[in-house]
Amino acid sequence: MKTISKQLVEKFNELLAPCRVCPRECGVDRIKGELGSCGAGLEPEISSYHRHFGEEPPLVGLHGSGTIFLTHCNLHCVYCQNYEISQLGMGRKTTLEGLARMMLRLQELGCHNINLVTPTPWVPQVVAALAMAQDQGLALPVVYNCGGYEAVPTLRLLEGIVDIYMPDIKYADNAFAARYSGADDYWDVVRPALKEMHRQVGDLVVEKGIARKGLLIRHLVLPDNIAGTRQCFEFISRELSKTTTVNVMAQYYPTFRAGQHAALNRRITTQEYRRALEESRRLGLDAGFRQTIDTIFREIVPEWTDDLKDTPGP
Ligand code: SF4
């Protein structure tokens, strides 16, 4: 992470009023406490922070990923698995100093990174807290763990601050994105956003089993190919790189409001997951994570791919 200047923190703060932190560009005055589509105000809200051992192995290492779950989200997925936090506002307000202390505490605990979950609505506050923590010795890589619905101008300002981008690529069809996540331009937005992330940090770099920098994309396979898996992988393979690390995720289950949508009201089948893996192989996307078929209906245990198995452990 580069040194964050006061001027840069100010530049981020300017995005809050009128709010254009994310592509929704709600235009509300968050400095005055007005709320836009995401429901995030001025003071940061945090659901929890802790060492997390359930992320991808290069983020977890031996001591865990230093995860901070931020409240609210700029997407409104009807099947969100963290819906209490993202959609129902579960969390508590904290100060910028408080957020900086959480980061430093996670470093004290030996975590390998600061993993910001759903940072998008809070980018200015997160950057201000990172600057404070940096003054007090924070030196961990910063992980930006988001839904992929990001504004490129905001991402450009994050260059040098974020070490590891971990976006989703959720849909390749704006109509599905509108129906299931309330974002009718998702496919138009996610592609330039991922290109900008890749431009900044490149492919994932793993040293001694630990991720240091780069791009790690998550793709959650949805029933009836709602996620547009083939188109998503084609985009990654052709417009980012074939060596992009992709986590092909099988753990979809209907939760929150998914039961109101017939197509989403079931888990995926083994055939659907196999088809997704075949697509990724066909396009040469071999640097990534797969989940074993027999775990889909049991506990989900991420597996190393052959590529990453060869990486020396910590
Ligand atoms: S961060 Fe929230 S308020 Fe700001 S533009 Fe995005 S959705 Fe709207």
Side-chain angles (χ1 to χ4, degrees):
M1 176 177 40
K2 72 178 182 188
T3 303
I4 303 170
S5 66
K6 284 199 173 70
Q7 291 81 356
L8 187 52
V9 170
E10 270 317 303
K11 265 193 182 171
F12 276 103
N13 280 340
E14 286 168 14
L15 298 175
L16 288 167
C19 191
R20 52 201 185 281
V21 171
C22 89
R24 291 200 186 271
E25 297 189 357
C26 297
V28 295
D29 187 338
R30 289 178 56 191
I31 306 280
K32 288 187 183 154
E34 290 174 10
L35 305 181
S37 170
C38 62
L42 182 59
E43 293 168 285
E45 294 173 57
I46 306 296
S47 161
S48 64
Y49 73 105
H50 50 82
R51 291 200 289 172
H52 193 1
F53 291 91
E55 300 284 50
E56 286 78 351
L59 296 179
V60 170
L62 279 183
H63 305 293
S65 179
T67 305
I68 301 177
F69 282 91
L70 292 117
T71 307
H72 304 296
C73 186
N74 67 335
L75 288 171
H76 303 297
C77 305
V78 296
Y79 52 86
C80 181
Q81 299 176 7
N82 291 328
Y83 68 91
E84 293 100 333
I85 303 167
S86 67
Q87 306 302 313
L88 305 183
M90 191 181 91
R92 61 183 171 77
K93 286 187 179 170
T94 187
T95 57
L96 297 178
E97 292 80 2
L99 182 51
R101 275 196 299 276
M102 291 174 202
M103 296 169 178
L104 292 164
R105 178 67 185 138
L106 292 167
Q107 180 167 267
E108 279 168 21
L109 288 170
C111 295
H112 298 285
N113 45 65
I114 299 296
N115 181 353
L116 301 158
V117 182
T118 325
T120 311
W122 299 110
V123 168
Q125 294 88 339
V126 162
V127 170
L130 279 169
M132 288 177 185
Q134 201 175 48
D135 282 348
Q136 295 169 65
L138 183 75
L140 293 178
V142 172
V143 182
Y144 191 94
N145 181 343
C146 69
Y149 194 54
E150 305 293 316
V152 169
T154 304
L155 291 174
R156 284 205 192 107
L157 285 177
L158 283 169
E159 184 162 11
I161 297 174
V162 172
D163 299 284
I164 298 166
Y165 282 104
M166 188 159 64
D168 296 327
I169 186 163
K170 288 178 178 291
Y171 309 97
D173 182 308
N174 285 332
F176 283 138
R179 192 178 314 157
Y180 301 126
S181 294
D184 62 7
D185 56 354
Y186 183 87
W187 184 234
D188 303 328
V189 165
V190 70
R191 287 174 291 168
L194 266 56
K195 279 186 178 181
E196 173 60 19
M197 293 177 193
H198 190 254
R199 184 194 69 75
Q200 287 181 26
V201 295
D203 290 342
L204 191 68
V205 175
V206 178
E207 293 168 357
K208 297 187 177 175
I210 304 296
R212 303 294 176 196
K213 66 170 291 204
L215 177 66
L216 194 172
I217 300 177
R218 287 173 163 175
H219 178 74
L220 180 67
V221 180
L222 292 174
D224 288 347
N225 196 29
I226 287 169
T229 297
R230 180 171 54 78
Q231 294 95 321
C232 289
F233 291 170
E234 279 174 355
F235 162 72
I236 295 168
S237 169
R238 289 177 190 160
E239 300 199 40
L240 300 181
S241 78
K242 282 194 194 311
T243 42
T244 301
T245 301
V246 182
N247 185 359
V248 186
M249 301 169 84
Q251 62 259 55
Y252 174 79
Y253 62 92
T255 185
F256 191 39
R257 301 198 171 114
Q260 297 168 12
H261 300 268
L264 284 175
N265 200 18
R266 64 169 174 86
R267 301 194 77 158
I268 61 166
T269 63
T270 51
Q271 287 84 352
E272 285 173 319
Y273 188 62
R274 277 205 188 94
R275 224 171 287 137
L277 294 185
E278 280 161 18
E279 286 295 349
S280 72
R281 283 195 200 103
R282 185 180 65 80
L283 291 159
L285 290 171
D286 294 324
F289 304 92
R290 311 284 181 265
Q291 290 157 346
T292 51
I293 297 292
D294 62 354
T295 61
I296 292 175
F297 298 104
R298 301 189 203 128
E299 191 182 358
I300 300 294
V301 181
E303 274 218 330
W304 293 95
T305 63
D306 287 344
D307 275 12
L308 291 167
K309 270 179 189 160
D310 293 335
T311 310

